[in-house]
Amino acid sequence: MANPSKQKGTAFETAVVDYLRANGFPFAERRALRGTMDAGDVAGVVGWVLELKNCKALDLGPWMNEAHHEAANDGASRFAVIHKRRQHSTAEAFVTIPLRLFADLLADGVAN
């Protein structure tokens, strides 16, 4: 039997992938672990590395460092940490990105 923490993480990853598929990202899928060359938890969102966390306590600094490292492994310039919001649906999960990436996204929207 898998440990409860791993089961929670797997369930959240599956829920996020299902949500992304239902909302415009049909190729989203859980990514296999690659050890030190890990490239995030979700594949199929072009240009992004997504690191997912289902933890009671927030630890954003190390999570963002992990996501940034995994983006470098994947050759992606954009990365985010998606973390479960307690007692809320998957659609209400939080997404954390650095301000510079947020500014890029805003600029992309203005340019279009």
Side-chain angles (χ1 to χ4, degrees), residues 73-112:
N73 287 344
D74 195 51
S77 60
R78 292 181 169 173
F79 57 93
V81 175
I82 301 174
H83 38 108
K84 183 164 180 27
R85 185 175 181 191
R86 299 278 152 238
Q87 307 301 317
H88 288 81
S89 71
T90 302
E92 298 302 316
F94 294 115
V95 178
T96 301
I97 61 174
L99 176 59
R100 64 183 169 78
L101 294 181
F102 182 66
D104 286 349
L105 292 175
L106 294 177
D108 286 351
V110 171
N112 292 329

Side-chain angles (χ1 to χ4, degrees), residues 20-96:
L20 290 171
R21 284 181 180 167
N23 288 277
F25 299 91
F27 302 110
E29 63 184 17
R30 290 184 61 227
R31 181 173 263 164
L33 295 175
R34 299 185 341 197
T36 60
M37 293 305 293
D38 198 12
D41 295 319
V42 175
V45 180
V46 177
W48 283 88
V49 165
L50 304 177
E51 181 63 29
L52 279 56
K53 299 294 182 182
N54 184 0
C55 302
K56 284 184 182 177
L58 291 180
D59 204 1
L60 292 177
W63 294 351
M64 293 302 293
N65 290 344
E66 180 181 0
H68 187 242
H69 176 77
E70 292 175 354
N73 287 344
D74 195 51
S77 60
R78 292 181 169 173
F79 57 93
V81 175
I82 301 174
H83 38 108
K84 183 164 180 27
R85 185 175 181 191
R86 299 278 152 238
Q87 307 301 317
H88 288 81
S89 71
T90 302
E92 298 302 316
F94 294 115
V95 178
T96 301

Side-chain angles (χ1 to χ4, degrees), residues 8-20 30 52 90:
K8 282 183 5 183
T10 297
F12 184 56
E13 289 174 10
T14 300
V16 169
V17 164
D18 290 347
Y19 181 84
L20 290 171
R30 290 184 61 227
L52 279 56
T90 302

